Amino acid sequence: MRKEVLVTIRGTQTNDLGERETIEMVTKANYYQKNRSFYIIYNESEISGLAGTTTSLKAEPSRVTLNRMGTAEVKQVFEEGIHHETSYVTPYGSMWIRVLPWKVEVDLTEVGGSINLEYELELCRQRIGYNELSITVQEV
């Protein structure tokens, strides 16, 4: 099963002052299942600020791995209650980021579904906010 799907990505970041910023993007993606994992692969756009980057998501029952390659490169792992630290490489330089997921929900089937993540994000050891990421997959 490998097919083209429509993916809606909605990210909301809340800073320490309670200010919220939401970005939503809808794009076509490749979608397939291998063993017990689902894969979603799409090209970033200007809206996300990551044009020239390909994002792949590996969704397992209790873990989501986000991997970006191209103008920006990062591999983030989301597992409830487990800190994951990694290097985030951009055209402007590298920095350390760390995520602490509070919620990792994967509800995907062969026809689509959703991924919901809630996590704290630290950049260069400074907390920069609380994030919510919702990814919805539907057949075209």
Side-chain angles (χ1 to χ4, degrees):
M1 168 204 90
R2 179 179 278 259
K3 60 183 164 183
E4 188 174 78
V5 294
L6 200 59
V7 177
T8 303
I9 302 138
R10 180 184 174 95
T12 301
Q13 184 175 59
T14 305
N15 67 21
D16 288 337
L17 301 174
E19 300 167 330
R20 294 172 58 93
E21 181 180 353
T22 299
I23 296 173
E24 186 169 322
M25 179 177 92
V26 178
T27 188
K28 288 185 179 178
N30 288 313
Y31 183 63
Y32 64 95
Q33 181 178 11
K34 183 176 179 184
N35 300 324
R36 294 183 60 212
S37 301
F38 287 92
Y39 294 82
I40 304 164
I41 302 168
Y42 62 91
N43 293 319
E44 294 285 350
S45 70
E46 291 292 331
I47 293 171
S48 67
L50 298 170
T53 300
T54 300
T55 296
S56 67
L57 293 160
K58 178 183 180 184
E60 300 170 83
S62 62
R63 177 169 62 181
V64 175
T65 304
L66 178 144
N67 193 20
R68 289 195 168 121
M69 297 293 292
T71 55
E73 296 188 4
V74 68
K75 181 177 182 179
Q76 290 176 284
V77 179
F78 300 87
E79 290 180 278
E80 275 186 37
I82 300 175
H83 285 97
H84 285 277
E85 192 169 321
T86 189
S87 177
Y88 185 33
V89 180
T90 73
Y92 310 104
S94 298
M95 60 194 98
W96 283 101
I97 59 171
R98 183 163 85 161
V99 295
L100 174 58
W102 297 103
K103 178 168 125 180
V104 177
E105 291 180 351
V106 177
D107 184 18
L108 294 172
T109 67
E110 290 182 6
V111 295
S114 64
I115 298 171
N116 291 295
L117 306 171
E118 293 182 18
Y119 57 96
E120 282 185 21
L121 182 65
E122 293 180 0
L123 178 64
C124 298
R125 311 236 190 281
Q126 295 285 340
R127 185 183 146 179
I128 61 169
Y130 181 78
N131 294 270
E132 299 169 63
L133 184 62
S134 172
I135 300 162
T136 305
V137 178
Q138 51 192 343
E139 294 183 310
V140 178

